[in-house]
Structures are given as structure tokens and as C-alpha cells.
């Protein structure tokens, strides 16, 4: 094997096809070749009678996957390239394949699970979180918009919890991931190796019970539903911000301060994307919308600037363009959803 191919390890253990994302030094961030390798493995096992289920996990101790390789996206966007469009098209097709996979798709959402990591796990049928799980769609902080079917998932969370997570980009633990419908089961991380061994001989749903850890470590969102639902039900980001500030609650004010750090354009496009995703219905329709939005974002200054500030230079001082919510006009937001803009062409021909 060459080094690039080694970034995804595949093997069949008993009745389970095991996929291991193997870039631990990069928190298993997804490259285009990794997406293609996972797709190839799923295709090979779909009709293999010896493979009864699939397990996806991350190498190392830090997490399943921190998202897409945003350094590569930064390089592409900085030079006016189009390679990211090909990556996203194949990644979004993989997200849909996972959602409709005919065999149980088991995902260990252990440790950091962000962006593309959510896409490769939360569309599965058996999604397992642990006490170490930190699940997030943090795209607004880099001038981007939740993708990989993230707007589909978050638009279906109870009340306005998904709007809160999408706009702020905050990471949640096991209990809140379960509450928001991003995961199904809680298993303490110490039990994962034993569970993996058990999966070699039986389907996950038949053996999960003994490995589940009882009480899930306490979450935060259930107790905050009242102000989250009230504030984030507003029609505009400006009104959401105003409601958060006017609530008189410390947690709401903290959320408003988080929003101040995000790209104003990304915030407005994200809110519009979530509202539209609620009406679109199918995952594929939402992924088509996300592809248009992502393609437009690739050509905007905020994506390059956001990645620079957060990942390249790490000064955490992005200079957004425009810098204020009031300066982002409706026509600028609408442009992200125009089929004539951005990527062009369908994800699912």
C-alpha cells in the first residue's frame, strides 16, 4: 500500500466490514482519496453475503474525524481552484449512500466528531457516542455553512436546538447529541474494544445492550430549551441576536457573544439553509442545496479568511467581508442558493 491509501484501512472481521480512518495526526480529517476509499469499501460489501454490517471508527485516541481537510480547501479557494467541488460532490454522494445503506452501518462517534466527521457517522443506522464525544458543525467560524447533510440533520432536531448548534458551532457531548437526534446509543469508551470484538460474530443491535453504560453524562440543552426555542425561532439573525441579548439569561448572552465571532454572511446563509432544509424533505434534495451553497462559498473571501485565521495563522482574528450583519443584504444571501452560481450541476444526476 502507498501512504495515501493507508489513510483508510479496511478489513473484514467475522461478519463485519471494518473501516478505520487512519490520519490520527490530522484528527482523521477527510481527503478526497479517503472519501473514495470509503465509498469503494461500502460498494464492495453491499452485496457480499459474508458481510452483515459495517463499522466505521477513527484511529488514535482523539476522535473519529475532525472534518474535511480544510487546509486543502484553503489552498484551492486561495488560487481560484475547483478541486473542492469534486471532493464535495463525492463526499455528499457518500453521505447519501451511508443514509440508505442496506446493512447496519455502525459508527463510533468517540472523541471529536466535527463537520465531515458528522457526515460520515450521523447518517448511519447505529450511531454510538461515548463520554468523550464532542460533536459539532463549526462551519460558521470559518466563513462556511454546515454541509455533508448537516442542515438536514440539524433542521430536524427538536425545536430550535439545531439552529442554535448550526449558528454557534458549539460542540455537544453524548447526552445532547442523543437529544438532537445525531446519535442513538451511549457506550462508555472503555467498552468499545470489547464491543468491536463482539461485532465480529453478531449484529450490533443484538449485542449492544450489555455494553451500553446506563446513565448518560449530563447534557445542557434540555434545560435550555425554553430560551433556545424562543430566541432562535426569529426570522433573521439580527432578531435572534436581539432576543438572546434581551433574554436576561447568562447562557443566552454567551451564545450572542459566540455569534459575534462568526462570519455575518455565513450566519445569514446558514439560517436560510436550515429553514429551507425543513421544507425540502429528502436528504438528497438538501445535499443538492448544500452543494450550491458550498460552491458559492468557495468563491467568497470569508472562507479563505476564516480558515486563515482559525487554522493557518491561528490568530483567531478573522476580518469578515462584510464585517456586520446589517451589511449582508438579502440579495447576497439569495445568491448562495442560485443554481447558476457556485458549483453548478447536480450531485445526483
Amino acid at each position: 500500500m502507498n501512504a495515501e491509501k493507508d489513510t483508510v484501512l479496511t478489513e473484514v472481521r467475522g461478519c463485519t466490514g471494518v473501516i478505520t480512518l487512519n490520519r490520527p495526526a490530522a484528527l482523521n480529517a477527510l481527503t478526497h482519496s479517503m472519501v473514495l476509499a470509503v465509498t469503494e469499501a461500502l460498494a464492495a460489501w453491499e452485496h457480499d453475503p459474508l458481510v452483515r454490517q459495517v463499522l466505521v471508527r477513527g484511529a488514535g485516541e482523539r476522535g473519529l474525524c475532525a472534518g474535511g481537510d480544510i487546509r486543502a480547501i484553503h489552498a484551492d479557494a486561495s488560487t481560484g481552484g475547483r478541486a473542492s467541488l469534486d471532493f464535495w460532490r463525492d463526499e455528499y454522494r457518500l453521505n447519501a449512500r451511508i443514509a440508505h445503506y442496506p446493512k447496519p452501518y455502525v459508527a463510533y462517534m468517540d472523541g471529536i466528531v466535527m463537520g465531515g466527521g458528522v457526515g460520515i457517522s450521523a447518517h448511519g443506522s447505529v450511531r454510538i457516542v461515548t463520554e468523550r464525544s464532542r460533536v459539532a458543525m463549526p462551519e460558521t467560524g470559518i466563513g462556511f455553512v454546515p454541509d455533508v447533510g448537516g442542515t438536514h440533520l440539524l433542521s430536524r432536531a427538536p425545536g430550535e436546538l439545531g439552529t442554535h448548534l448550526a449558528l454557534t458551532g458549539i460542540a455537544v457531548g453524548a447526552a445532547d447529541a442523543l437529544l438532537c437526534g445525531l446519535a442513538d446509543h451511549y457506550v462508555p469508551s472503555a467498552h468499545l474494544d470489547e464491543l468491536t470484538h463482539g461485532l465480529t460474530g453478531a449484529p450490533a443491535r443484538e449485542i449492544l445492550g450489555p455494553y451500553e453504560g446506563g446513565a448518560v453524562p449530563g447534557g445542557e440543552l434540555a434545560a435550555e430549551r425554553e430560551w433556545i426555542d424562543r430566541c432562535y425561532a426569529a426570522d433573521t439573525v439580527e432578531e435572534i441576536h436581539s432576543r438572546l441579548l434581551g433574554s436576561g439569561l447568562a447562557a443566552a448572552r454567551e451564545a450572542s457573544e459566540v455569534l459575534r465571532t462568526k462570519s455575518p454572511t455565513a450566519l445569514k446563509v446558514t439560517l436560510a439553509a436550515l429553514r429551507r432544509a425543513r421544507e425540502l424533505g429528502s436528504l438528497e434534495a438538501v445535499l443538492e442545496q448544500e452543494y450550491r451553497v458550498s460552491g458559492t462559498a468557495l468563491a467568497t473571501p470569508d472562507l479563505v479568511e476564516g480558515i486563515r485565521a482559525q487554522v493557518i495563522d491561528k490568530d483567531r482574528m478573522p476580518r469578515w467581508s462584510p464585517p456586520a450583519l446589517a451589511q449582508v443584504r438579502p440579495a447576497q444571501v439569495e445568491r448562495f442558493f442560485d443554481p447558476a452560481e457556485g458549483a453548478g450541476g447536480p450531485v445526483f444526476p
Side-chain angles (χ1 to χ4, degrees):
M1 290 185 180
N2 59 43
E4 184 66 20
K5 191 171 184 181
D6 285 347
T7 56
V8 174
L9 306 178
T10 62
E11 59 180 320
V12 176
R13 295 187 182 182
C15 67
T16 301
V18 180
I19 297 172
T20 304
L21 306 181
N22 190 38
R23 292 184 72 206
L27 262 171
N28 301 317
L30 293 171
T31 64
H32 197 170
S33 65
M34 291 171 71
V35 166
L36 295 176
V38 174
T39 301
E40 181 181 356
L42 293 180
W45 292 334
E46 183 170 345
H47 302 292
D48 186 338
L50 299 179
V51 177
R52 299 175 63 186
Q53 63 193 351
V54 172
L55 168 64
V56 175
R57 60 185 186 172
E61 298 296 321
R62 299 169 64 196
L64 171 66
C65 174
D69 188 344
I70 58 175
R71 286 181 178 270
I73 294 171
H74 180 268
D76 190 38
S78 298
T79 58
R82 307 284 284 179
S84 297
L85 301 179
D86 295 332
F87 166 60
W88 286 325
R89 181 184 284 111
D90 287 329
E91 185 180 25
Y92 299 176
R93 287 173 177 169
L94 173 59
N95 302 145
R97 178 185 282 271
I98 291 168
H100 300 298
Y101 203 63
K103 300 178 180 182
Y105 182 99
V106 184
Y108 287 174
M109 301 175 70
D110 184 36
I112 293 174
V113 185
M114 296 184 178
V118 174
I120 209 167
S121 59
H123 295 297
S125 52
V126 184
R127 306 164 300 174
I128 296 170
V129 284
T130 76
E131 79 284 355
R132 304 188 300 196
S133 295
R134 302 300 296 166
V135 184
M137 296 297 294
E139 285 78 6
T140 58
I142 59 166
F144 198 48
V145 176
D147 66 335
V148 298
T151 59
H152 177 82
L153 294 165
L154 294 176
S155 71
R156 284 154 177 77
E160 295 294 335
L161 294 180
T163 309
H164 174 57
L165 297 186
L167 295 182
T168 62
I170 63 170
V172 297
D176 289 332
L178 291 164
L179 173 63
C180 291
L182 301 174
D184 310 297
H185 304 275
Y186 170 73
V187 174
S189 58
H191 294 177
L192 290 181
D193 286 345
E194 188 179 353
L195 174 59
T196 301
H197 178 73
L199 292 174
T200 64
R205 290 192 178 92
E206 293 181 9
I207 65 167
L208 256 176
Y211 299 101
E212 296 192 79
V216 184
E220 300 177 1
L221 296 181
E224 297 176 347
R225 274 289 304 276
E226 192 279 328
W227 68 261
I228 288 175
D229 288 352
R230 175 167 42 83
C231 294
Y232 288 94
D235 292 332
T236 68
V237 180
E238 289 94 331
E239 178 60 23
I240 289 172
H241 196 274
S242 176
R243 291 185 186 185
L244 290 170
L245 286 175
S247 71
L249 298 170
R253 288 196 301 272
E254 289 173 9
S256 74
E257 289 303 314
V258 171
L259 293 184
R260 287 185 186 277
T261 69
K262 310 302 181 183
S263 158
T265 300
L267 288 174
K268 288 199 170 186
V269 176
T270 295
L271 183 62
L274 285 168
R275 298 291 191 256
R276 296 178 188 216
R278 287 177 177 172
E279 307 300 324
L280 285 173
S282 73
L283 172 61
E284 285 80 2
V286 176
L287 287 166
E288 292 283 7
Q289 173 177 274
E290 290 179 350
Y291 191 59
R292 290 194 294 273
V293 170
S294 298
T296 304
L298 187 67
T300 60
D302 275 7
L303 180 59
V304 172
E305 173 61 12
I307 297 175
R308 179 207 65 77
Q310 301 297 337
V311 179
I312 306 299
D313 297 337
K314 298 183 180 180
D315 59 27
R316 308 293 191 267
M317 297 178 64
R319 296 178 290 274
W320 303 122
S321 178
L325 288 169
Q327 295 174 308
V328 183
R329 311 312 303 167
Q332 292 173 277
V333 174
E334 193 62 32
R335 186 169 71 89
F336 283 79
F337 300 92
D338 186 345
E341 296 282 349
V347 177
F348 306 99

